[in-house]
Amino acid sequence: MPKIKKLLVANRGEISLRIMRTARQMGIKTVAVYSEADRNAPHVKFADEAVCLGPPPSNQSYLHAEKIIAACKNLQVDAIHPGYGFLSENAVFAKMVTDAGIIFIGPSPQSIEVMGSKLAAKNAVSKYDIPMVPGTDEAISDIPKAKIKAAEIGYPILIKASAGGGGKGMRIVENEQEFEEQMHRAISEAQSAFGDGAVFIEKYITSPKHIEIQVLGDQHGNTVYLFERECSIQRRHQKVVEEAPSPVVSEKMRQAMGQAAVMVAKACNYYGAGTVEFIVDEHLDFFFLEMNTRLQVEHPVTEMITGKDLVKEQILIAEGLPLSFSQDDLKINGHSLEIRVYAEDPKNNFLPDIGNLQTYIRPHGPGIRVDDGFEQGMDIPIYYDPMIAKLIVHDETREKAIQKMINAIADYQITGIETTLAFCRFVMEHESFVSGKFDTKFVERYFSPEKLEIKWTEEELTLISGFAVEIFEKKKNGFKGAISKDTALSQRTNWKNRLI
Ligand code: ADP
Ligand code: ADP
Ligand code: MG
């Protein structure tokens, strides 16, 4: 059985660090890769060794398969963990790695290939008794024919790129008049974004929930599910808040979804960690969406409620070990929430905001976990996904976890860059989130930029005027400089502490 001694993480940011932490705990040496934009990044500093791949653009660095494999050869690396994004769902890369005699920490290239195409995935799964969203089961080439099919399914419909991912490559079509034009656009977009123009149509479920199941399979045919994650709070079809367990899933539904997910995994002889995504309608009927053949961004909430380290499990599976637990050994303990802290401006349509992390102070405490890849003073590069960090909390109940998250958000201090923190606080305090009655339309339905305007309490106003007096005194004594908004905000905390 091949014991992994040295692991290269073909990724950057928080996920690279998170994987290396587990590797180190397991006594495995770590190798980081980086682009010129990430030279001083924490993941580079943390690793035992680090290799520069090239200039910042991903295709010259983090997507450069040959360079990554060459680095492994030079440094006698025996395994690669691809993280998420970048090369993680690239079957050709997985095969290149295996052919080079290096262990790929993930499923087989065949599983990646089948599940990497939403159409091939639907096809593989169709042999089993798994509910699917009504739609076409092959790529559309004949538009008039597709139009007839769309009318049969009933508008609104969704045109989807078979190779799409990360919330990209989807178009909602409200009625027949729009169909043809949207179809042409979807095909050309899919071609330019994913190098594959194959698109298909699906019934557009108007107010669905996104609920997914974490699975783990070993190379001996054992597959288990580690319960669900609720990921309905999204913008641009991409998740911002996740939790486990879901507030609407009953024990019976959990079992049914778990068993369906295990079947999906078996349909492609899956091993490793994977996620089976479902869309759930208002009657709580669930339908298979796709399978992600990698570690998911939101995997920590599952770790918090199951006590399992998913990266450790991935490594043990890659080494060929059988799972050390069975389905019956797995239990849900408490409740966990995650928010994604993106460098984005929620007041401006969640557009990415780049700049310098002038203040960066993390929240701390029992049941609070921050997975991040930045330090105070660093710039957020424009080349990659704008996620700064994930803030994860765990507590006995959902109610307590929400309260803990609200407090942790208040303690998280970031200046110099707009982030999704205030938006996530809005979510945590919203009646519809608190009651569990929300779906993927949450942002559209309830959110508008004015919702983030700060409403000062009496106490805060007193503090602010106290601070104003302080500035006034300083100025009177000859202080010349201007006081920035950021200084003022950090002073707010000082003032508060002084008064308590
Ligand atoms: P998850 O599916 O793990 O919840 P996301 O949907 O946010 O997370 O995707 C994870 C990361 O992978 C993001 O950085 C996203 O931009 C990227 N990603 C996933 N699939 C693709 C794809 N096909 N093309 C481009 N980027 C992708
Ligand atoms: P990706 O590969 O980009 O993650 P998914 O198929 O997983 O694509 O869909 C991403 C999100 O888009 C879902 O979480 C959901 O919000 C929305 N979505 C996808 N399919 C449908 C559908 N048929 N009806 C309504 N919303 C959908
Ligand atoms: Mg998805």
Side-chain angles (χ1 to χ4, degrees):
M1 210 155 287
K3 177 93 185 65
I4 296 170
K5 293 189 206 67
K6 202 193 258 191
L7 171 73
L8 179 145
V9 182
N11 216 298
R12 64 183 295 281
E14 66 90 15
I15 197 60
S16 176
L17 259 180
R18 189 259 163 271
I19 293 164
M20 290 195 280
R21 286 214 170 90
T22 288
R24 181 169 288 177
Q25 265 172 19
M26 294 172 78
I28 299 171
K29 291 267 177 258
T30 54
V31 179
V33 292
Y34 61 97
S35 75
E36 284 158 16
D38 285 338
R39 203 170 279 283
N40 298 315
H43 81 275
V44 179
K45 294 191 180 132
F46 183 91
D48 296 310
E49 291 168 277
V51 181
C52 181
L53 293 173
S58 304
N59 56 3
Q60 295 172 58
S61 52
Y62 297 105
L63 289 174
H64 205 306
E66 288 84 6
K67 276 195 189 163
I68 293 170
I69 292 174
C72 291
K73 295 253 147 116
N74 281 341
L75 299 174
Q76 279 94 48
V77 164
D78 40 24
I80 293 184
H81 195 305
Y84 56 70
F86 297 122
L87 293 165
S88 62
E89 291 176 284
N90 185 320
V92 174
F93 177 67
K95 178 141 192 328
M96 279 169 74
V97 172
T98 328
D99 288 350
I102 303 161
I103 296 174
F104 179 78
I105 301 187
S108 69
Q110 293 77 16
S111 305
I112 300 178
E113 191 164 350
V114 171
M115 293 298 163
S117 146
K118 294 190 203 292
L119 276 170
K122 281 180 186 251
N123 230 304
V125 168
S126 66
K127 300 179 200 88
Y128 302 82
D129 187 22
I130 291 163
M132 287 206 259
V133 186
T136 52
D137 51 12
E138 51 187 46
I140 292 162
S141 46
D142 183 331
I143 292 184
K145 239 177 161 176
K147 214 169 178 174
I148 298 171
K149 184 74 191 173
E152 266 170 42
I153 296 169
Y155 287 91
I157 57 130
L158 193 60
I159 308 178
K160 268 191 181 178
S162 183
K168 298 179 189 82
M170 273 180 263
R171 282 189 166 265
I172 303 165
V173 188
E174 299 288 348
N175 55 53
E176 198 168 307
Q177 288 74 44
E178 292 173 15
F179 185 78
E180 202 158 329
E181 192 195 329
Q182 294 284 34
M183 206 58 206
H184 287 299
R185 282 203 198 161
I187 294 172
S188 76
E189 270 173 17
Q191 188 62 48
S192 61
F194 310 109
D196 174 1
V199 301
F200 61 99
I201 53 182
E202 240 176 45
K203 167 108 195 118
Y204 180 67
I205 305 194
T206 323
S207 296
K209 283 174 92 62
H210 173 120
I211 300 180
E212 59 189 31
I213 304 280
Q214 175 70 51
V215 296
L216 272 181
D218 64 21
Q219 300 191 47
H220 309 275
N222 306 304
T223 313
V224 296
Y225 61 89
L226 287 86
F227 317 112
E228 78 279 6
R229 287 185 291 257
E230 154 69 61
C231 315
S232 299
I233 308 285
Q234 306 180 344
R235 45 100 189 75
R236 291 193 286 274
H237 303 301
Q238 212 193 20
K239 307 152 189 168
V240 239
V241 175
E242 298 103 344
E243 65 181 307
S246 158
V248 298
V249 172
S250 65
E251 196 45 54
K252 190 167 159 233
M253 181 173 170
R254 179 167 297 130
Q255 251 189 40
M257 289 184 84
Q259 283 161 4
V262 167
M263 267 204 280
V264 170
K266 298 227 172 199
C268 65
N269 300 313
Y270 200 84
Y271 56 80
T275 295
V276 181
E277 298 190 331
F278 295 96
I279 203 146
V280 176
D281 68 12
E282 71 269 33
H283 311 296
L284 296 183
D285 288 327
F286 60 88
F287 306 93
F288 172 68
L289 259 191
E290 65 160 347
M291 179 168 190
N292 291 327
T293 55
R294 55 171 163 90
L295 191 65
Q296 204 98 346
V297 174
E298 59 276 20
H299 75 278
V301 292
T302 302
E303 298 187 320
M304 300 298 249
I305 61 155
T306 59
K308 298 286 176 208
D309 177 335
L310 290 177
V311 172
K312 181 176 167 198
E313 297 305 326
Q314 285 187 298
I315 293 174
L316 296 175
I317 292 166
E319 288 181 332
L321 291 166
L323 287 177
S324 64
F325 48 87
S326 67
Q327 191 64 56
D328 289 342
D329 299 327
L330 291 164
K331 296 276 173 307
I332 297 181
N333 170 28
H335 200 95
S336 179
L337 294 164
E338 171 182 286
I339 61 163
R340 299 192 192 184
V341 185
Y342 280 103
E344 283 180 1
D345 186 1
K347 293 197 225 63
N348 188 13
N349 236 341
F350 293 91
L351 279 178
D353 187 46
I354 46 157
N356 184 269
L357 275 181
Q358 287 167 1
T359 316
Y360 186 71
I361 302 168
R362 301 169 181 91
H364 290 283
I368 296 177
R369 164 174 167 183
V370 178
D371 282 17
D372 62 8
F374 290 97
E375 292 293 344
Q376 183 159 295
M378 283 178 66
D379 288 325
I380 309 288
I382 50 168
Y383 304 97
Y384 319 108
D385 192 85
M387 196 171 78
I388 303 171
K390 303 184 306 205
L391 168 58
I392 306 119
V393 300
H394 182 241
D395 214 318
E396 288 159 2
T397 62
R398 185 169 190 267
E399 210 179 355
K400 286 185 181 169
I402 291 177
Q403 197 48 53
K404 190 175 271 184
M405 182 62 92
I406 292 172
N407 294 338
I409 292 174
D411 288 345
Y412 213 146
Q413 290 181 45
I414 304 181
T415 65
I417 255 171
E418 295 297 334
T419 74
T420 44
L421 271 177
F423 166 75
C424 291
R425 180 184 173 138
F426 166 79
V427 175
M428 293 299 135
E429 289 174 339
H430 198 278
E431 179 276 324
S432 133
F433 182 78
V434 172
S435 68
K437 294 190 193 82
F438 57 96
D439 54 42
T440 59
K441 285 285 147 68
F442 180 92
V443 171
E444 203 178 312
R445 202 173 285 148
Y446 305 116
F447 181 68
S448 57
E450 313 82 75
K451 298 276 164 48
L452 296 187
E453 271 162 24
I454 302 169
K455 290 191 192 69
W456 302 104
T457 62
E458 279 300 316
E459 186 209 18
E460 280 167 332
L461 285 171
T462 318
L463 292 171
I464 292 165
S465 37
F467 182 43
V469 170
E470 189 183 273
I471 297 168
F472 182 71
E473 291 294 324
K474 265 187 161 177
K475 291 244 173 198
K476 235 175 40 187
N477 295 330
F479 176 78
K480 292 264 178 328
I483 306 245
S484 70
K485 183 179 122 199
D486 297 334
T487 317
L489 285 173
S490 61
Q491 281 295 327
R492 211 174 99 209
T493 319
N494 290 347
W495 267 94
K496 208 163 193 169
N497 292 341
R498 222 183 288 177
L499 285 201
I500 288 166

